[in-house]
Amino acid sequence: MVDVPRLRFAPSPTGYLHVGSARAVLFNWLVARRTGGEMLLRIEDTDAERNRPELTDNILETMEWLGLGWDGEPVHQSRRLDLYRDAAEKLLAAGRAYWCDCTAEQVQARAKERGGPPGYDGFCRERGLERGPNTALRFRTPDEGTTSFDDIVRGHVAFENAVLEDFVLLRSSGMPTFLLPNVVDDADMGITHVVRGEEHVNGTPKYLLLSEALGLGYRPVFAHLPVLVNAQRKKLSKRRDSVSVADFRAEGYLPEAMVNYLALLGWGPPDGVEIRPLSEIVELFRLEDVNSSPAFFDVKKLQAFNAEYIRALDADTFVERARPHFTHGDATTEVLRPMAELVRDRVRLLSEVEPMVAFLRDDEVQVDDDSWQKGVVKLGDRGVAMLEAAHRRLGSCEWDRDAIEAALREAAVEAGFVNPEGHAQMSKAQSPVRVATTGRSVGPPLFESLVVLGRERTLDRLEKARERL
RNA sequence: GCCCCCAUCGUCUAGCGGCCUAGGACACCACCCUCUCAAGGUGGCGGCACGGGUUCGAAUCCCGUUGGGGGUGCCA
């Protein structure tokens, strides 16, 4: 039988999918795709206290949005509890586990008393306790020897068994904790490559010891990915940092930009070409090339990628993809369509699209104070003259892009915006007209904007601005 | 405290003993283009943490120091 690589992503439904997990999904997915293997999905919901079942949907939906699907049906640990209990019984029967009734307080108190390292001290190892209402089952770690493994990204990693404390297998509630189901399922699901975050490195010897004690004869290949950190170089945390992939989606990031960017955290293509389709990344990606040092999640660079991906969209696709971000669906779509390319080349996020064309949609224009001061008031008499000249000339010209440009250039000359060569100085002259009609000092090209705005509203807004001065 | 890991421009990375006067990308700065803003073009700023080895030769290998991170839960 040929060994088909089999990977897995194993989230616990205690939070939304964040960028760190998304990167883990991606790398697992890439390996599966590249090697012709599969990536399975396992929901690690053994913590009844913290589980939020509805979050599973968010995680799955977000993975689909990213375009990183999984193979087969998701496995839920909460539906396989018998498997873990059987495994626990086996360990107990083999003398590799024992019952313990110590409370967390007692464990801490003893650690403090002896002045040694924190953690469980093996107090109940020889007490011969029976299962009771307040007993947890602990794994008895070896006192001697070392446990080591070869990590694809980190090389050889070794631990003295003596530093491994006797960890909990079954809570007093009877529910298993992380490690036991993790090992049992990986073996049961035939996982060949365990690709996960660096935070799991220290748990790996326990994982291996468990596998051995269970007589599973199971030993996957490990690859521990570097953590993603914030600007303070701390591991990204859901509490401190805004890292929910669903939030990025809501802000108007494209999944292809997100995935492309994520691939570059801890890995780089050999030819240095950073922006490229996922299909190419699949071809190039190798776990052996993954870094082992922490990577900063740089939103600025993500935005740059996003802008580039947006610019690569054709006009219709751009409108369709921006549409879900509109608060006034059809109305915004209508005014955006004729301006699509011009707007598309100016936004970094899809959420920026609607504000950029709102002046075309709404009856009244909201004039930004700062823009008003800098773009109109500051120009003094010439600003007034420009508004008046523009109003007059736009009142009688044809209504197309070139005619509007010609009219405004003439208005500029009339209002005194002339350069040494005697030509209209449009960079300055356009500003009062722009602010009066669009409400802002920056935005899509003015002439095209006015075409869509229409003569009536344009003249009306120029007049209102004039009156306001 | 103990255990494990990490260390190339501000950031993400290329580099796997000579091709390195260290390449690219993002960010930043300047100029060009230009109806604003973008985009684009050109140029610039900027890095092998430090100290020892090994070697004819080290960003690349080894050791130490320093700095950073992760873990140390009846969370995952």
Side-chain angles (χ1 to χ4, degrees):
Chain A
M1 187 181 118
V2 183
D3 231 13
V4 177
R6 196 175 265 191
L7 295 96
R8 47 80 160 176
F9 174 58
S12 70
T14 52
Y16 296 99
L17 186 76
H18 60 96
V19 293
S21 323
R23 207 263 312 241
V25 176
L26 209 214
F27 282 26
N28 274 282
W29 187 92
L30 286 170
V31 175
R33 274 308 181 88
R34 181 181 160 80
T35 59
E38 7 180 62
M39 180 182 81
L40 309 185
L41 186 58
R42 184 171 72 227
I43 308 301
E44 307 212 323
D45 50 356
T46 55
D47 186 350
E49 303 277 299
R50 299 209 232 175
N51 274 341
R52 307 262 309 282
E54 70 278 11
L55 289 176
T56 299
D57 296 334
N58 169 276
I59 293 170
L60 268 50
E61 194 186 323
T62 306
M63 283 174 68
E64 281 173 335
W65 176 71
L66 287 171
L68 305 175
W70 56 92
D71 295 298
E73 285 299 307
V75 170
H76 292 256
Q77 291 189 325
S78 59
R79 317 219 261 250
R80 299 155 58 87
L81 296 175
D82 287 347
L83 232 50
Y84 319 132
R85 285 182 188 139
D86 288 350
E89 288 299 333
K90 203 169 161 185
L91 292 170
L92 187 58
R96 303 296 297 264
Y98 60 91
W99 296 104
C100 165
D101 64 358
C102 297
T103 62
E105 292 71 31
Q106 291 170 333
V107 172
Q108 280 170 20
R110 283 203 301 273
K112 195 170 179 183
E113 197 175 307
R114 68 172 186 275
Y120 187 67
D121 56 0
F123 186 76
C124 298
R125 275 187 174 184
E126 312 300 340
R127 291 177 67 205
L129 260 33
E130 295 290 317
R131 164 181 247 147
N134 292 307
T135 57
L137 188 69
R138 286 186 184 270
F139 182 74
R140 194 193 195 293
T141 57
D143 299 324
E144 299 175 337
T146 60
T147 299
S148 63
F149 58 97
D150 291 302
D151 189 295
I152 298 185
V153 338
R154 266 149 231 284
H156 191 74
V157 184
F159 291 81
E160 293 293 330
N161 290 334
V163 306
L164 271 22
E165 69 277 13
D166 291 354
F167 56 94
V168 170
L169 259 15
L170 254 33
R171 299 173 169 91
S172 49
S173 67
M175 285 292 274
T177 60
F178 172 65
L179 276 158
L180 183 63
N182 200 244
V183 176
V184 169
D185 284 338
D186 279 347
D188 184 65
M189 293 163 76
I191 302 303
T192 59
H193 294 65
V194 173
V195 179
R196 51 179 5 177
E198 179 187 339
E199 62 270 23
H200 292 290
V201 170
N202 291 276
T204 304
K206 294 173 183 171
Y207 178 110
L208 258 9
L209 251 13
L210 260 183
S211 175
E212 178 271 323
L214 252 10
L216 262 21
Y218 171 70
R219 204 180 161 92
V221 168
F222 290 96
H224 287 98
L225 274 16
V227 288
L228 259 33
V229 298
N230 61 22
Q232 285 71 239
R233 294 261 127 202
K234 298 284 186 192
K235 183 169 81 158
L236 286 181
S237 116
K238 289 173 193 168
R239 300 189 54 175
R240 278 193 302 261
D241 313 296
S242 56
V243 290
S244 160
V245 176
D247 287 350
F248 281 101
R249 176 185 183 176
E251 281 179 65
Y253 285 90
L254 263 27
E256 35 299 37
M258 177 65 91
V259 163
N260 194 157
Y261 175 68
L262 250 19
L264 267 19
L265 260 22
W267 178 81
D271 59 8
V273 178
E274 296 192 326
I275 296 194
R276 66 201 315 164
L278 231 203
S279 57
E280 284 183 25
I281 293 175
V282 168
E283 294 302 313
L284 266 16
F285 187 82
R286 299 184 339 138
L287 268 183
E288 292 73 14
D289 297 334
V290 173
N291 284 168
S292 45
S293 46
F296 170 60
F297 184 81
D298 186 358
V299 180
K300 278 264 188 73
K301 185 154 178 173
L302 206 211
Q303 280 180 357
F305 274 38
N306 204 56
E308 189 150 339
Y309 270 93
I310 285 177
R311 271 182 252 119
L313 262 25
D314 65 63
D316 287 338
T317 308
F318 168 68
V319 173
E320 279 319 300
R321 296 189 69 165
R323 197 188 181 102
H325 297 269
F326 296 159
T327 52
H328 300 62
D330 290 342
T332 304
T333 302
E334 194 181 322
V335 294
L336 172 62
R337 184 142 276 139
M339 305 275 296
E341 285 96 341
L342 299 174
V343 173
R344 171 248 267 157
D345 293 348
R346 287 171 171 72
V347 296
R348 289 175 308 172
L349 305 174
L350 293 177
S351 59
E352 294 169 352
V353 176
E354 185 167 49
M356 200 170 276
V357 294
F359 74 95
L360 291 169
R361 181 195 63 213
D362 305 333
D363 290 336
E364 296 295 317
V365 63
Q366 284 234 335
V367 180
D368 170 66
D369 278 341
D370 203 44
S371 299
W372 176 257
Q373 287 301 325
K374 284 183 187 156
V376 185
V377 178
K378 201 176 159 194
L379 263 34
D381 291 346
R382 289 202 301 168
V384 174
M386 185 63 199
L387 287 175
E388 289 174 344
H391 185 274
R392 187 170 345 104
R393 311 201 93 114
L394 289 175
S396 58
C397 70
E398 291 294 304
W399 204 254
D400 59 54
R401 189 218 168 274
D402 291 346
I404 289 171
E405 174 172 7
L408 287 178
R409 284 188 181 280
E410 287 163 15
V413 174
E414 189 182 330
F417 290 95
V418 184
N419 65 18
E421 290 82 49
H423 298 301
Q425 205 172 26
M426 289 309 290
S427 60
K428 280 186 184 164
Q430 57 93 34
S431 109
V433 178
R434 175 181 293 279
V435 174
T437 55
T438 74
R440 299 163 64 180
S441 55
V442 301
L446 185 58
F447 313 139
E448 286 82 351
S449 295
L450 296 185
V451 171
V452 180
L453 223 207
R455 192 197 306 270
E456 196 179 328
R457 282 190 296 176
T458 299
L459 297 180
D460 180 55
R461 290 177 187 187
L462 287 172
E463 205 172 310
K464 286 228 171 67
R466 175 64 191 89
E467 287 165 2
R468 194 179 154 184
L469 277 166

